[in-house]
Amino acid sequence: MNPKSAGEESEPRLPTDLRKALAAISMAKAQWRDLTPIACRDFISWIESAKQPETRRRRIEKACSILAAGKRRPCCYSIVSFNLYTALAATPMAKAQWSDLTPIERRDFISWMDSAKESEAHRRRIEKACVMLAAGKRRP
């Protein structure tokens, strides 16, 4: 058994269509290799949240363009903090509800959590968000 050190994020699985697109654009592929696992997860989550195949295709193209331009995060995508990501993973009902939220609803939750300036207040809002999501609420 090889335990991970605290705070270490495992490498996310790269979808086949994204891998092929990155292989075709060397600058994007090089930038991808330099991303943190969390940044990779954000790109993959953004791409996989597309409901239509055409939207997914456009997001993959945009991701390659963003990466080739030297950027490290998907544009117009609310970044899910590692603490929220971990809390959602530990609360299946909240995670399922999070997946069903629109991008605007996700941004509202993230903005509400991030508006807490102190780390303890931010942590409490993450916990409260998971409770609200598990209860079916779509807004903080």
Side-chain angles (χ1 to χ4, degrees):
M1 186 165 167
N2 188 5
K4 286 193 254 183
S5 61
E8 184 180 329
E9 176 76 0
S10 64
E11 289 291 325
R13 185 189 66 75
L14 188 60
T16 304
D17 49 356
L18 179 57
R19 181 177 40 249
K20 288 177 182 177
L22 290 170
I25 304 170
S26 60
M27 296 274 296
K29 186 176 183 180
Q31 181 73 348
W32 180 267
R33 286 188 190 134
D34 192 44
L35 294 178
T36 65
I38 292 172
C40 292
R41 187 201 71 231
D42 287 343
F43 269 104
I44 292 168
S45 175
W46 175 58
I47 290 166
E48 290 186 340
S49 68
K51 294 192 182 350
Q52 300 292 320
E54 179 59 23
T55 304
R56 181 183 177 101
R57 186 193 61 73
R58 280 194 317 267
R59 287 185 184 178
I60 288 172
E61 287 177 5
K62 182 152 180 108
C64 290
S65 174
I66 290 168
L67 290 163
K71 297 185 180 172
R72 302 180 62 80
R73 294 283 183 182
C75 144
C76 308
Y77 180 71
S78 298
I79 296 173
V80 177
S81 72
F82 183 70
N83 293 335
L84 176 57
Y85 178 75
T86 303
L88 289 170
T91 316
M93 293 290 288
K95 185 176 181 180
Q97 180 71 4
W98 180 263
S99 297
D100 290 340
L101 295 179
T102 67
I104 292 169
E105 290 168 333
R106 288 181 187 175
R107 276 192 293 264
D108 288 347
F109 265 105
I110 290 170
S111 294
W112 174 71
M113 288 179 273
D114 288 347
S115 69
K117 299 301 178 200
E118 296 175 16
S119 62
E120 183 59 26
H122 187 262
R123 185 193 60 74
R124 283 193 307 271
R125 285 199 180 177
I126 288 173
E127 289 175 2
K128 188 171 182 178
C130 286
V131 169
M132 288 189 284
L133 288 164
K137 288 192 152 202
R138 299 182 71 87
R139 300 267 183 200

